[in-house]
Amino acid sequence: MTGTRDWATDFDHADPAYNANAHAIWADLRGRCPVAHSSAYGGTWLPVRHDDVRAIAYDTDHFSSEGVVVSTTKAEGTAPYGGAPPITADPPAHHDARRILLPAFAPKVVAALEPGVRALCRGLLDRMGDASVVDGAVDYAQHIPPHVIAGMLGFPQADAERFRGFVHDVLEGIDRTPEDREAAFLHLDAYLRDQIDEHLARPREDLTSQLLATEVDGVPVSRQQVHGTILLLLIAGIDTTWSGIGSALWHLAAHPADLARLVAEPALIDRAIEELLRAYAPVTMARIVKQEAVVGGCTMKPRDWVLLPFPAANRDPAAFERADEVILDRAENRHAAFGLGIHRCVGSNLARLEMKVAVQEFVARFPEFVLADPSAVTWSVGQVRGPRRLPIRIARRA
Amino acid sequence: MRVRVDATRCQGHNRCHALAPELFDVDEMGNARERGDGTVPPGLEDSARLAIANCPEYAVWIVEDAS
């Protein structure tokens, strides 16, 4: 059920069939063609073996992060920081671009956000009332990250729903014309410009004001760099975590034994979240080839796109025992859901917190639930994979 | 038994600290290091092994005692 395309030579991750059938596609490619290629987007490679994904993630000499969204627009000449540092920065600029962001996402800082995330989740569950069918993506998961990031950045909570539109344009509208993509970016840039102006005029206790006041070695960080960094936080923290939460709920709805086990053994939650992150890692990253490189016998030329499917690496049987099975209490789990190497997701502690609390609260409220209609589930398109429609029938309430 | 975090490999995934907070701490950047000289008190050997087995960067090691 992988459609009529030959995914080894003609894949397109904007085709809805790609994410809908991702696990089967990756398993097929892993067996016969560990590095797929497509002429889409000016030439794009897709390695699916853990070792190849890992090697590229560590190789910043041959692979640049200047472009990380494979689409009709390919960044050029934006070094050293790129449009959304630190994710778009290569060494050595990457180091300082990342350093200004890390303290806000350190484990102890993020842990303090837990009560707020829990209250948000409970409020969303309250809003569902007595409905017998709820949408785990539309009514729940998609609301959680935008409100959390709006709170951190000090942006109006009322704007949280708009953020999803920005994210959709950047990450799902990958096959629109370059002109359409540029227009969408202008829209987002105008919004960020207004927010930054507002914070410069009235500084306050939030991450935006903090970044605007940051100095590195006595030199203020430029407004342009702060703008790009905030753009990253707004785009990278929303549909990724929403997808992680949605996929976790999808799995539990489709696997009653795992749901029952999690309800019976709530202490399993941490290992369960790690395992669900491994099995349903939402994020595929990308690189632009900087210097010719050979991966899996394929010669990659400068300016080629390379997709880095961490979710495929996480299901490689060469790297994980029983890789295609979800084992909620898997003890050894070196999964790469948040990337590997210097670009490890800066928000990983926050994403984990949101996923854990969202799943805990949903399961506590609804200890039994199933997919209301498996054929009604839809998946995102592009490099972030997760359910976008997820009708769930509530079988029992706490 | 002693554990050690290789600071050149650690990327701040925070797995060791989450699994064995008695053995690992994180700094304000979120990067990990072993507590003290890394000596694993009796009873925490399994926590140490879990921390090692869950580091995606292979940054956590067991250092065999010389004695």
Side-chain angles (χ1 to χ4, degrees):
Chain A
M1 281 284 291
T2 55
T4 52
R5 233 176 231 286
D6 181 357
W7 297 96
T9 56
D10 180 36
F11 70 84
D12 183 349
H13 58 305
D15 181 341
Y18 178 78
N19 277 343
N21 301 291
H23 300 152
I25 291 169
W26 294 327
D28 170 50
L29 293 175
R30 207 179 282 118
R32 67 188 170 104
C33 157
V35 184
H37 183 265
S38 166
S39 59
Y41 311 105
T44 306
W45 299 95
L46 175 68
V48 291
R49 286 194 310 206
H50 184 274
D51 282 356
D52 292 336
V53 170
R54 183 178 186 89
I56 294 169
Y58 286 120
D59 184 353
T60 55
D61 291 331
H62 293 87
F63 300 94
S64 169
S65 287
E66 186 174 4
V68 291
V69 180
V70 175
S71 66
T72 55
T73 47
K74 191 188 274 184
E76 187 157 28
T78 64
Y81 292 114
I87 208 170
T88 54
D90 292 326
H94 169 269
H95 180 78
D96 284 346
R98 184 172 171 87
R99 207 174 60 162
I100 64 171
L101 212 43
L102 286 172
F105 292 93
K108 289 160 196 171
V109 177
V110 167
L113 299 174
E114 179 170 338
V117 175
R118 207 170 284 285
L120 171 62
C121 292
R122 287 180 180 171
L124 292 166
L125 292 166
D126 290 345
R127 254 175 34 188
M128 293 173 184
D130 295 329
S132 57
V133 175
V134 301
D135 194 308
V138 175
D139 301 331
Y140 192 61
Q142 73 170 4
H143 298 288
I144 298 165
H147 286 281
V148 173
I149 200 69
M152 284 185 79
L153 289 171
F155 290 4
Q157 285 288 334
D159 291 350
E161 306 302 310
R162 281 180 71 185
F163 301 165
R164 280 205 310 276
F166 296 141
V167 172
H168 176 78
D169 288 342
V170 174
L171 298 180
E172 293 204 289
I174 50 178
D175 58 350
R176 294 184 194 162
T177 65
E179 294 73 25
D180 280 0
R181 282 186 66 74
E182 295 297 341
F185 271 107
L186 287 178
H187 202 58
L188 169 55
D189 276 336
Y191 177 80
L192 292 179
R193 217 165 34 238
D194 287 350
Q195 291 300 325
I196 290 172
D197 284 343
E198 165 66 19
H199 278 78
L200 285 171
R202 278 171 286 278
R204 57 204 89 155
E205 295 285 318
D206 58 33
L207 185 51
T208 302
S209 291
Q210 194 183 310
L211 287 169
L212 287 165
T214 298
E215 296 183 348
V216 172
D217 301 329
V219 182
V221 175
S222 75
R223 173 171 174 154
Q224 188 193 359
Q225 188 185 335
V226 173
H227 183 113
T229 299
I230 292 174
L231 185 150
L232 168 65
L233 297 179
L234 198 59
I235 298 299
I238 292 184
D239 66 337
T240 50
T241 309
W242 152 25
S243 293
I245 296 166
S247 289
L249 295 180
W250 177 86
H251 177 87
L252 294 171
H255 299 84
D258 281 346
L259 174 57
R261 187 170 180 204
L262 193 55
V263 170
E265 301 172 59
L268 266 186
I269 188 73
D270 289 312
R271 279 193 188 180
I273 292 298
E274 293 308 314
E275 176 65 346
L276 293 165
L277 276 166
R278 183 192 68 82
Y280 303 102
V283 182
T284 289
M285 278 307 302
R287 299 286 188 267
I288 297 173
V289 178
K290 187 154 69 176
Q291 291 183 52
E292 188 171 297
V294 178
V295 178
C298 298
T299 303
M300 302 179 177
K301 301 280 191 189
R303 296 294 292 166
D304 286 352
W305 282 115
V306 185
L307 284 163
L308 272 191
F310 293 110
N314 280 350
R315 283 178 173 258
D316 185 346
F320 296 91
E321 284 177 32
R322 297 160 71 191
D324 266 327
E325 285 177 58
V326 169
I327 302 168
L328 286 188
D329 62 348
R330 190 183 287 270
E332 182 169 334
N333 200 342
R334 298 180 195 261
H335 71 77
F338 294 107
L340 293 168
I342 63 168
H343 289 284
R344 186 268 305 170
C345 169
V346 78
S348 63
N349 296 309
L350 178 60
R352 282 186 161 110
L353 172 71
E354 290 182 33
M355 271 189 73
K356 172 179 170 172
V357 171
V359 171
Q360 274 181 328
E361 291 298 324
F362 196 91
V363 164
R365 188 75 60 106
F366 306 126
E368 286 177 34
F369 56 89
V370 293
L371 293 176
D373 175 6
S375 68
V377 175
T378 63
W379 297 84
S380 57
V381 299
Q383 287 172 230
V384 179
R385 179 180 188 272
R388 290 297 174 265
R389 298 223 164 255
L390 182 59
I392 285 175
R393 181 173 306 283
I394 307 302
R396 185 162 68 86
R397 289 163 197 276
Chain B
M1 183 196 226
R2 286 196 301 136
V3 287
R4 203 180 130 249
V5 178
D6 180 344
T8 65
R9 288 186 177 219
C10 176
Q11 298 292 350
H13 289 262
N14 195 40
R15 300 299 299 131
C16 58
H17 174 248
L19 289 163
E22 309 89 343
L23 302 177
F24 303 93
D25 197 7
V26 284
D27 64 19
E28 62 153 18
M29 295 289 168
N31 292 322
R33 62 160 302 148
E34 65 278 5
R35 290 189 190 271
D37 69 354
T39 298
V40 178
L44 288 178
E45 293 87 351
D46 285 349
S47 297
R49 288 190 193 97
L50 269 184
I52 291 163
N54 282 276
C55 177
E57 308 287 350
Y58 293 82
V60 187
W61 301 88
I62 287 182
V63 185
E64 295 304 331
D65 279 321
S67 53

